[in-house]
Amino acid sequence: MRVVSLVPSLTEAVAVTVPDVLVGATDWCTHPAGLDVTRVGGTKNPDVPRIAALAPGLVVANEEENRTPDLAALRAAGIEVLVTEIRTLDQAFRELARVLAACGAGRPRWLDEAEAVWREVPRPAARLRAAVPIWRRPWMVLGRDTFAGDVLARLGVDNAYADHAERYPRIPVEELTSGDLDLVVLPDEPYRFTHEDGPEAFPGTPVALVGGRHLTWYGPSLVEAPTVLSGALRAAVR
């Protein structure tokens, strides 16, 4: 089996579980550290001829991260493409098992551990209402039906825009700052929010800076995500 991954979190899952099968990954695939495979462009602009030259038996992708025309071009080149859909934590666990099985792997211990730690997440004493910006210039936030929104909900944080018609709506910052929010959650991807870039836009509202890998990735990081995210959220509202 030769596998190319077009999704950073799936790249990590495959590389940690069956490292010998992975031959290609995107430029954005940063984990595990020191990953030594052929780089095939970005998630939105993969180099189809380069992927075809690797002669993969399988390309793993995601319906949200990757574009339909690129996946169609890979299929037209005779390459099998497995497309995941992951909008909830439960869906993530199912799709990870499917991807790894397609790569010829058995069920890894880290996947069992991830399911176990998420089952044991304690019920929060009080729930918080939050906005979750993922971009600025223009400001965009998590809307309905997102994996990150489900992760936060399980940790006691309700997305203020969970009922929005769009999954990633553009919201003027004036609306964000005038809303009845307990918290603003700023991940470091896709936009790299930092202590100096983001919190200043929300004076008077607690801000939690969190790692995008723990909030939006589905893979081995899910094992530590509940502890890491809960710590950042609690620290913001003390």
Side-chain angles (χ1 to χ4, degrees), residues 64-77:
E64 180 175 53
E65 296 227 28
N66 308 118
R67 302 184 316 132
T68 299
D70 296 323
L71 304 182
L74 289 167
R75 291 189 175 106

Side-chain angles (χ1 to χ4, degrees), residues 137-141 161 164 166 168-173 175-176:
R137 305 182 191 95
W139 285 92
M140 300 174 67
V141 302
Y161 292 92
H164 198 282
E166 299 177 26
Y168 302 102
R170 296 186 180 190
I171 305 294
V173 70
E175 178 180 327
L176 293 176

Side-chain angles (χ1 to χ4, degrees), residues 1-12 14-15 18-27 29 35 37-43 46-62 66 70-71 74 79-84 99 102-103:
M1 174 64 73
R2 293 170 60 82
V3 177
V4 171
S5 172
L6 300 183
V7 185
S9 50
L10 295 180
T11 296
E12 183 178 19
V14 174
V18 275
D20 292 342
V21 309
L22 194 68
V23 296
T26 75
D27 299 338
C29 294
L35 181 66
V37 297
T38 299
R39 301 296 174 160
V40 297
T43 57
D47 187 329
V48 173
R50 180 177 291 182
I51 294 172
L54 292 172
L58 181 69
V59 171
V60 293
N62 177 263
N66 308 118
D70 296 323
L71 304 182
L74 289 167
I79 300 169
E80 182 179 352
V81 180
L82 187 161
V83 182
T84 58
V99 166
C103 293

Side-chain angles (χ1 to χ4, degrees), residues 169-222:
R170 296 186 180 190
I171 305 294
V173 70
E174 294 78 15
E175 178 180 327
L176 293 176
T177 54
S178 64
D180 181 20
L181 301 176
D182 301 308
L183 180 67
V184 174
V185 180
L186 297 180
D188 62 8
E189 61 177 73
Y191 186 90
R192 188 170 180 78
F193 287 106
T194 67
H195 289 284
E196 293 75 33
D197 186 356
E200 80 287 346
F202 305 97
T205 302
V207 173
L209 289 160
V210 301
R213 180 168 168 265
H214 290 114
L215 180 62
T216 65
W217 286 36
Y218 28 85
S221 58
L222 286 171

Side-chain angles (χ1 to χ4, degrees), residues 139-152:
W139 285 92
M140 300 174 67
V141 302
L142 290 184
R144 64 171 179 83
D145 194 23
T146 66
F147 171 77
D150 186 45
V151 165
L152 288 172

